[in-house]
Amino acid sequence: MDSASALMDKGTMRILILGGTGEASALARGLLAGPEPVSVTLSLAGRTSQPKAEAVPTRIGGFGGAEGLAAWLVRERTDLVIDATHPFAAHIGANAALACARTETRLLAIRRPAWTALAGDRWTNVPDMAAAARALGEDPARVFLTIGRQEVAAFAVAPQHDYVVRAIEAVELAVPRLTVIRARGPFDAAAEAAFLAERGIAVLVSKNSGGSATYGKIAAARTLGLPVIMVARPAKPDVPSVPDVAAALDWVTRHQTTGRSAHHAAGTLRGV
């Protein structure tokens, strides 16, 4: 028996991270640096064709809904699942909650706090992308869509505007007047202010993602006095959650002494 197999026989904790965020990458690195051996798998949705290399084994693509994820958890004898997906990734969060409930697998979500408006911010809060498109109004304007590439089509109902989108991947030309800037962040506030001024942006549309990685555009809009249409987060399942990676690592540490659940050792799948 090799050393890796011996460690697994002694009860090395098996952890699935649902990722695609900076928190997921930082969590993977933190788990590897911890005092106890762990077996970590990072799962990415596959929306980026060339994701950054990660420190742990990485799987790409969906599981096949909640049932597929539940089957995967049992097959891989998973002890813990940590949902570190984007705040707007509602579908995988719901699947994870259902799959973990069915298999009695412990689940934790990392949910970074949402941004809140500060003095000088000119926000219009809206519930979804359709409302954001309506909030732009009838008068033509140059709009920076900081929403990712997959929801640009929601703005086809407002073709009078000139749109600018910045994305890692190619963007389908879903609106008539669309300028696509291919770039990968992060971008600080000074760089964002320069970008907005250079492009003649009159209004931003942003998801309320929270965190520091993409906050530069919000700070830049405040500095330049530009209005921001802020799209609220979708509802997420009511599961145990923490605000950051440090708290998630503490949660894992608390569970590392409990051992693998008996139903995982038996390889049974409950409720499916």
Side-chain angles (χ1 to χ4, degrees):
M1 180 182 296
D2 60 28
S3 59
S5 298
L7 285 173
M8 296 309 296
D9 285 348
K10 291 180 180 178
T12 299
M13 184 160 282
R14 298 170 184 257
I15 302 172
L16 172 66
I17 301 173
L18 303 174
T21 61
E23 287 97 336
S25 299
L27 177 62
R29 294 191 298 269
L31 290 170
L32 291 185
E36 298 292 333
V38 291
S39 174
V40 180
T41 299
L42 176 64
S43 177
L44 303 178
R47 292 176 179 172
T48 301
S49 61
Q50 295 182 325
K52 292 181 179 179
E54 299 288 353
V56 298
T58 303
R59 68 177 304 282
I60 307 293
F63 291 91
E67 291 190 3
L69 176 55
W72 191 95
L73 295 177
V74 170
R75 185 173 64 251
E76 299 298 323
R77 300 170 66 199
T78 306
D79 296 293
L80 305 177
V81 176
I82 302 176
D83 177 4
T85 56
H86 192 273
F88 281 75
H91 189 61
I92 184 59
N95 285 345
L98 183 55
C100 287
R102 289 180 175 180
T103 59
E104 299 179 14
T105 305
R106 295 185 181 101
L107 170 65
L108 181 75
I110 298 179
R111 292 183 179 163
R112 68 178 84 131
W115 295 321
T116 57
L118 302 178
D121 284 327
R122 298 172 57 197
W123 290 10
T124 299
N125 292 298
V126 296
D128 52 38
M129 290 298 165
R134 293 193 298 271
L136 289 174
E138 296 298 326
D139 295 335
R142 192 157 180 80
V143 181
F144 184 26
L145 296 179
T146 65
I147 58 173
R149 64 190 177 91
Q150 296 187 323
E151 297 186 86
V152 173
F155 294 85
V157 298
Q160 70 273 26
H161 303 297
D162 290 300
Y163 295 100
V164 176
V165 174
R166 187 174 59 202
I168 299 171
E169 303 284 335
V171 178
E172 181 181 351
L173 298 180
V175 294
R177 295 195 295 274
L178 177 66
T179 300
V180 179
I181 309 298
R182 298 284 294 273
R184 184 191 291 268
F187 308 96
D188 62 24
E192 292 289 53
F195 176 85
L196 296 174
E198 177 186 348
R199 295 286 170 177
I201 301 300
V203 59
L204 280 70
V205 179
S206 175
K207 296 176 177 179
N208 194 332
S209 300
S212 60
T214 60
Y215 188 71
K217 62 192 177 186
I218 306 303
R222 182 188 310 123
T223 298
L224 297 174
L226 297 180
V228 177
I229 297 173
M230 188 67 74
V231 182
R233 298 177 177 189
K236 289 291 190 77
D238 183 13
V239 301
S241 63
V242 294
D244 54 36
V245 171
L249 290 171
D250 288 343
W251 180 82
V252 172
T253 298
R254 291 197 300 272
H255 286 295
Q256 281 180 316
T257 59
T258 63
R260 184 179 292 113
S261 302
H263 74 280
H264 288 141
T268 58
L269 181 59
R270 303 178 187 274
V272 177

